[in-house]
Amino acid sequence: MSESFEPKNIIVTGGCGFIGSNFVRWMVANHPECHVTVLDKLTYAGNPKNIAGLPESQVELVVGDICDADLLDRIVPGHDAIVHYAAESHNDNSIFDPEPFVRTNVVGTYRLLHVAGRYDIRYHHVSTDEVYGDLDLDEPRRFEPDDPYKPSSPYSSTKASSDLLVRAWHRTYGIRATISNCSNNYGPYQHVEKFIPRQITNVLCGIRPKLYGTGKNVRDWIHTEDHSRAVWDILAKGRIGETYLIGANGERSNIDVLRSILSAMGQPEDAFDWVRDRPGHDRRYSIDSAKLEDELGWRPIHADFGEGLDQTIEWYRDHESWWRPAKETTERKYAAQGQ
Ligand code: NAD
Ligand code: TDX
């Protein structure tokens, strides 16, 4: 049976990143009764513009590191929940420089669990489907919450480690925690290092899109707004100690997604370059979100991927001043990696 919880004053870590900022804006639109303190270190992936213009009475930004125990001790008391999005989130970066991933994703989660325990604060942990490893392209199976953890990359292994800390801290110290593992998100405010925004902004810049390996790898796409609603449902109604998988039946191969982008942007379907594959590249992710749907009544609203992709392309067309500053550095880094 679900326990009902009405948070009034939450901390959102990583609230200036892609998914965290979409959650904060969703909270402002849908839960004006709840105050949000964003705790964000503003790494290369965090941008205060992502939450600019939101009412100061409802959203406050604290610039700081989740690994900073003294800071957490100062700001956490008085809040009734922590929703933890902050992470180093990009697989390719983790392969070339894993250390920040271990620090933020593992040590940072440990510090948050510690403070959640000290002040008896409800804790929701935002994680990824990648902790379950990958599936064969033709395997009729999807990931389920109790599947064994088999992460492949430095990124996913640090996310898996952080999930295991949460499970142990719940069992040993009684932390009131839930975990969600979501599939690949798309939508506005995603950094140009990630697949969909990289290809859209490449086309806008006159650069040919870049596809890794065979292009047959499959990702299970979900609009970030559907992810936000699911996180809220779990925070408010989810069973303590449980893991919920979030996905929207959005499986598509990378080459199909790229061809959809090229077609929507008026480009020939072969106007891209094949580049070096990602080492250890996961083949396929696929989420079974039956538990979330059956227990909490959640359903995706953005069921039409083509429509969501068109809106996302429009957003990048209209927000060049947002993505342009990061584009050149990102492409220089990829070029140095042969990608
Ligand atoms: P992102 O890289 O866009 O944003 C991460 C945010 O965390 C940034 O604002 C950054 O400044 C902040 N941050 C990083 N290190 C920090 C630290 N030490 N202290 C405080 N803030 C710090 O990431 P995203 O794509 O929005 O992902 C958010 C969360 O969702 C991550 O936990 C990620 O693992 C998870 N997730 C992402 C996806 C996806 O498709 N992007 C899918 C499933 C789960
Ligand atoms: O230029 C590219 N070309 C390409 O073919 C890039 C950047 C990626 N790819 C491929 C690799 C993946 O198969 O596209 C797919 C998606 O790549 P990413 O956007 O880097 O996402 P992925 O590695 O699947 O991980 C994402 O989803 C799970 C997020 O970045 C993670 O934070 C989340 O946990």
Side-chain angles (χ1 to χ4, degrees):
M1 198 177 42
S2 299
E3 300 164 28
S4 198
F5 172 58
E6 290 176 14
K8 290 280 176 287
N9 199 7
I10 67 176
I11 294 195
V12 175
T13 71
C16 290
F18 162 46
I19 307 179
S21 67
N22 274 286
F23 178 72
V24 173
R25 283 196 313 283
W26 183 88
M27 286 294 297
V28 168
N30 294 281
H31 289 281
E33 76 287 359
C34 185
H35 183 272
V36 178
T37 304
V38 170
L39 171 59
D40 198 298
K41 188 180 170 184
L42 300 183
T43 66
Y44 79 96
N47 188 341
K49 286 186 187 154
N50 297 5
I51 55 166
L54 298 177
E56 284 175 23
S57 56
Q58 199 187 344
V59 179
E60 181 193 355
L61 171 61
V62 175
V63 178
D65 190 334
I66 56 167
C67 299
D68 182 344
D70 292 339
L71 173 69
L72 294 179
D73 247 339
R74 281 200 306 278
I75 69 163
V76 168
H79 292 87
D80 48 23
I82 296 172
V83 183
H84 177 33
Y85 286 93
E88 287 293 338
S89 70
H90 192 37
N91 272 298
D92 292 316
N93 292 346
S94 82
I95 293 165
F96 292 93
D97 184 14
E99 187 154 335
F101 289 75
V102 175
R103 186 177 177 279
T104 286
N105 299 359
V106 185
V107 178
T109 297
Y110 157 69
R111 297 259 197 266
L112 289 168
L113 287 168
H114 183 75
V115 80
R118 170 174 293 180
Y119 299 107
D120 187 24
I121 289 167
R122 172 82 169 81
Y123 175 91
H124 180 70
H125 187 73
V126 177
S127 192
T128 171
D129 56 0
E130 299 189 19
V131 299
Y132 297 112
D134 63 353
L135 300 163
D136 285 334
L137 295 181
D138 54 1
E139 202 174 336
R141 207 169 63 78
R142 318 184 98 189
F143 294 139
E144 294 180 17
D146 292 332
D147 282 356
Y149 274 30
K150 287 189 197 162
S152 327
S153 74
Y155 162 70
S156 55
S157 66
T158 59
K159 290 298 291 187
S161 307
S162 70
D163 292 13
L164 296 180
L165 294 182
V166 179
R167 290 180 180 199
W169 261 244
H170 164 64
R171 174 151 172 177
T172 303
Y173 302 111
I175 304 289
R176 290 179 291 128
T178 40
I179 300 176
S180 55
N181 298 82
C182 189
S183 59
N184 282 59
N185 283 222
Y186 73 96
Y189 297 98
Q190 187 168 28
H191 194 278
V192 291
E193 69 190 354
K194 302 291 183 355
F195 181 58
I196 289 181
R198 184 182 185 202
Q199 314 313 340
I200 295 171
T201 55
N202 275 355
V203 174
L204 293 175
C205 292
I207 301 170
R208 283 166 72 87
K210 311 290 182 217
L211 195 57
Y212 297 172
T214 62
K216 288 188 179 154
N217 306 61
V218 169
R219 295 296 181 263
D220 192 352
W221 294 99
I222 181 172
H223 195 281
T224 189
E225 194 181 312
D226 283 329
H227 187 183
S228 294
R229 278 191 308 105
V231 166
W232 173 262
D233 285 351
I234 297 166
L235 183 67
K237 301 182 286 188
R239 281 185 297 143
I240 300 300
E242 292 295 312
T243 290
Y244 294 88
L245 302 196
I246 309 172
N249 302 313
E251 277 189 68
R252 276 181 179 68
S253 68
N254 292 339
I255 192 159
D256 282 352
V257 173
L258 181 52
R259 288 201 172 121
S260 300
I261 293 171
L262 289 168
S263 151
M265 299 184 77
Q267 302 288 310
E269 66 164 27
D270 60 350
F272 66 89
D273 295 332
W274 299 100
V275 294
R276 198 190 134 194
D277 204 359
R278 173 184 286 171
H281 197 173
D282 280 342
R283 290 157 299 178
R284 170 175 159 248
Y285 307 136
S286 177
I287 287 275
D288 180 347
S289 57
K291 178 173 172 181
L292 178 67
E293 298 186 20
D294 296 348
E295 277 189 22
L296 307 184
W298 175 89
R299 299 278 183 285
I301 288 175
H302 296 270
D304 184 337
F305 177 74
E307 196 179 293
L309 191 60
D310 286 346
Q311 286 165 1
T312 305
I313 292 169
E314 271 319 295
W315 190 88
Y316 282 89
R317 272 194 212 285
D318 292 346
H319 291 80
E320 182 171 346
S321 63
W322 180 86
W323 56 262
R324 178 63 78 175
K327 184 67 184 165
E328 202 183 310
T329 328
T330 304
E331 286 307 313
R332 213 179 306 120
K333 202 162 155 186
Y334 274 127
Q337 290 166 189
Q339 295 173 315

